[in-house]
Amino acid sequence: MSFTVLTAEFSHESNTFSRCPADYAAFTDRGIQLGDDAIAARAEANTPIAGFLDIGRPAGWKVIHAISAAAQPSGPVTRDAFDRIAGVIVETAKAHAGKIDGVLFGLHGAMVTEFCEDGEGELLERVRAVLGPDVPIGITLDPHANVTRKMTDLANIVVSYKTYPHVDVRETGKLAAGIMQRTMKGEIRPVTLRAERPMLEEVNGGRTDIGPMVERIAKARAYEKEANVFAVSVNGGFGNADIHEVGPTVLVTCDGEREKHQAFAEAMVEDMWQRRFEKVTEFLSVEDAVAEAKSYVAASGPLIIADYADNPGGGGYGDATGLLKGMIAADLKDACFGPMVDPEVAAELRKGKPGSTVSVKLGGKVDPEIGGGPLELTGTLVSVSDGDWVGDGPMMGGLQASWGPCAVLRVGDVEILVTTIRAQMNDLQQFRAFGIDPAAKRVVGLKSMQHFRAAFEPIAGKVIVCDSGALCTPDLSKLPYRRVRRPLYPLDKVA
């Protein structure tokens, strides 16, 4: 029996403290793709649609793919952007209403819009209004999702990635699609149960390579072998969202024995609560990180310094100057740094001639008070580019992306990648496509929280992480929350 399945990808992680809203142009920067064009570009990569098709193609599904749209994490999604992208999905559902047997969406789970705190819930509500309550809906989520009650009420199947860095996006899509196939065949009637605790986020940001989450993910996989348990999702949450339902959750997608499965979810999330003080990541100051870099000997690979606090992948502006300023002041040798997101300087440098000496005021333009002001620098323009690159690492392999107009500027012995578009470092090609080989450097400074590890740890001699005090500082108590439910850890003392 052949089924007709509506699919779409619509993803944004919304840092509500950011000054930069996610307008429609922010989504076009990443590339909005429709229908078969999206499938052609994304069907063999680490994407949700690839996982959906891994089940759908051999099963003979008729796949109606509406759209693939994502923007870099930033402030809330504008009403215009949300309505235009969600509108494509809803209109596709309307065009095929009565013929759709199932729905699969690749979402994030931490989307906030200008008009509501729950972008995913809003999308699901609009689709349900078209298709009715009986068509099964499955969604995949990032484990930094702030999973709301509305999401689990409106979606039958909710499955989150189990890795951070997220190298299992396709695998997760395949799992969700497999559950959907059984649902459409009438074998199962899944629901998703939810458990939470009063926390902003899991203490280690959901890291799955070390720390308590390793054990939790192992327990989740083991429980998925229980009868009529189809998926267990352990979500660390995204604490940079000032919304009522912020925080970590554990989900169980199952059929029957709800009391037993709810108890499992509650025990898992209780473990997050009880172990909320078990930090495994040491955050250095910029001064301490640079001091270590000064004396570092690259016997087995470069020293990687990740600026967690200015991570564009968490909504950071990407133009904080603290770490770069320290690296230049220390006169670090054989070093590189990127990205420094500065559209003005990137455009200025694009007009220059490689090999020429240039002077610029770099970075620190969006919010100098938290990220440091512009750096007045004089250096050599190494190269200019349109910024396009193709990933070859565990997360981005085969996917096309772009920094927008960009340039490489050398100041002292530090090569700086200056970009137009914000993005975190998670693939070696983000440097290599522009003539910088991080594996050959002594010190690599980059902006990322955790995703960089998938591609950069294999080349590193050592990895250290610093807190430059920018927007994504790990000290969430510094942020001006107004909408979260209270009491909430670590903002309040909670028994």
Side-chain angles (χ1 to χ4, degrees):
M1 183 176 181
S2 179
F3 297 109
T4 298
V5 179
L6 171 65
T7 62
E9 297 172 311
F10 185 16
S11 179
H12 189 260
E13 183 179 64
S14 305
N15 185 326
T16 61
F17 300 101
S18 169
R19 295 183 176 184
C20 302
D23 57 13
Y24 192 72
F27 287 88
T28 59
D29 279 347
R30 284 279 294 267
I32 293 176
Q33 297 164 313
L34 300 173
D36 291 342
D37 289 340
I39 289 176
R42 300 173 61 79
E44 299 302 327
N46 185 38
T47 63
I49 186 60
F52 301 160
L53 293 171
D54 285 341
I55 295 295
R57 281 173 169 165
W61 292 358
K62 178 183 178 182
V63 174
I64 302 169
H65 188 72
I67 192 171
S68 290
Q72 289 294 337
S74 63
V77 178
T78 64
R79 178 180 285 276
D80 172 69
F82 185 88
D83 285 346
R84 289 169 72 174
I85 296 168
V88 172
I89 300 170
V90 172
E91 289 304 313
T92 304
K94 287 180 179 178
H96 299 275
K99 302 175 183 177
I100 294 171
D101 299 298
V103 175
L104 286 169
F105 291 155
L107 309 177
H108 184 283
M111 181 190 294
V112 180
T113 76
E114 288 180 332
F115 61 92
C116 74
E117 293 188 352
D118 180 9
E120 288 83 3
E122 176 71 17
L123 173 65
L124 292 171
E125 192 168 59
R126 294 184 186 189
V127 172
R128 276 280 178 224
V130 173
L131 299 181
D134 298 327
V135 174
I137 295 179
I139 61 176
T140 63
L141 299 178
D142 187 296
H144 295 102
N146 293 318
V147 183
T148 65
R149 292 169 181 82
K150 180 181 280 190
M151 291 184 212
T152 54
D153 286 345
L154 295 176
N156 310 80
I157 302 161
V158 184
V159 189
S160 300
Y161 321 144
K162 288 183 171 66
T163 62
Y164 181 34
H166 308 324
V167 297
D168 66 331
V169 177
R170 182 175 186 167
E171 178 184 333
T172 303
K174 184 177 180 179
L175 176 58
I179 302 168
M180 178 59 72
Q181 172 70 359
R182 294 185 64 192
T183 303
M184 293 187 297
K185 289 173 71 176
E187 296 177 6
I188 58 175
R189 295 175 60 86
V191 297
T192 295
L193 308 178
R194 174 184 178 277
E196 65 173 26
R197 289 296 181 273
M199 306 165 64
L200 277 172
E201 64 180 18
E202 195 270 339
V203 65
N204 295 299
R207 285 188 68 172
T208 59
D209 54 334
I210 61 173
M213 285 293 279
V214 174
E215 180 183 339
R216 293 179 195 126
I217 295 299
K219 288 182 177 179
R221 292 188 187 279
Y223 200 70
E224 287 175 340
K225 296 177 182 178
E226 294 274 331
N228 293 317
V229 175
F230 314 121
V232 177
S233 301
V234 187
N235 301 297
F238 183 60
N240 289 84
D242 186 12
I243 62 172
H244 184 77
E245 290 185 88
V246 67
T249 54
V250 174
L251 314 176
V252 179
T253 299
C254 58
D255 186 3
E257 296 188 277
R258 294 192 186 187
E259 185 175 339
K260 172 186 173 182
H261 304 321
Q262 184 70 45
F264 176 82
E266 295 290 347
M268 287 280 280
V269 78
E270 178 66 15
D271 183 68
M272 277 197 248
W273 173 254
Q274 294 297 333
R275 302 174 73 176
R276 63 192 182 277
F277 305 110
E278 293 185 23
K279 294 183 179 181
V280 298
T281 305
E282 179 185 8
F283 295 100
L284 302 179
S285 66
V286 167
E287 293 75 18
D288 288 344
V290 170
E292 182 163 347
K294 184 77 172 176
S295 60
Y296 179 76
V297 177
S300 58
L303 174 69
I304 309 293
I305 309 174
D307 183 359
Y308 187 113
D310 194 35
N311 171 34
Y317 303 127
D319 76 339
T321 54
L323 178 57
L324 178 60
K325 179 179 180 180
M327 291 174 65
I328 293 172
D331 194 24
L332 294 186
K333 303 301 181 185
D334 197 15
C336 64
F337 182 91
M340 179 57 74
V341 183
D342 191 326
E344 294 176 18
V345 171
E348 180 183 341
L349 293 177
R350 283 265 291 177
K351 299 175 185 177
K353 181 179 179 181
S356 63
T357 299
V358 295
S359 295
V360 296
K361 290 185 177 180
L362 183 63
K365 296 182 173 69
V366 178
D367 191 352
E369 291 185 6
I370 65 166
L375 302 179
E376 296 189 12
L377 302 175
T378 298
T380 302
L381 180 60
V382 177
S383 64
V384 296
S385 171
D386 59 10
D388 294 343
W389 56 277
V390 179
D392 64 4
M395 286 189 64
M396 297 295 293
L399 292 174
Q400 298 180 353
S402 181
W403 289 117
C406 67
V408 176
L409 175 67
R410 183 185 298 115
V411 178
D413 204 21
V414 181
E415 290 186 326
I416 307 163
L417 179 64
V418 182
T419 75
T420 297
I421 295 173
R422 287 181 300 106
Q424 67 176 308
M425 278 288 175
N426 55 22
D427 196 287
L428 298 176
Q429 286 300 321
Q430 289 172 283
F431 274 127
R432 285 179 172 163
F434 311 102
I436 300 172
D437 183 2
K441 295 295 184 181
R442 190 179 68 86
V443 177
V444 178
L446 54 80
K447 296 176 188 253
S448 178
M449 288 184 183
Q450 174 75 355
H451 284 318
F452 74 94
R453 294 181 187 273
F456 285 83
E457 274 193 340
I459 69 163
K462 185 177 182 180
V463 173
I464 59 176
V465 181
C466 79
D467 177 5
S468 67
L471 184 64
C472 292
T473 173
D475 186 356
L476 297 177
S477 65
K478 295 180 179 179
L479 300 176
Y481 292 94
R482 294 184 295 112
R483 298 185 180 90
V484 296
R485 65 193 186 278
R486 306 299 284 263
L488 194 70
Y489 178 83
L491 306 181
D492 308 294
K493 291 183 178 180
V494 184

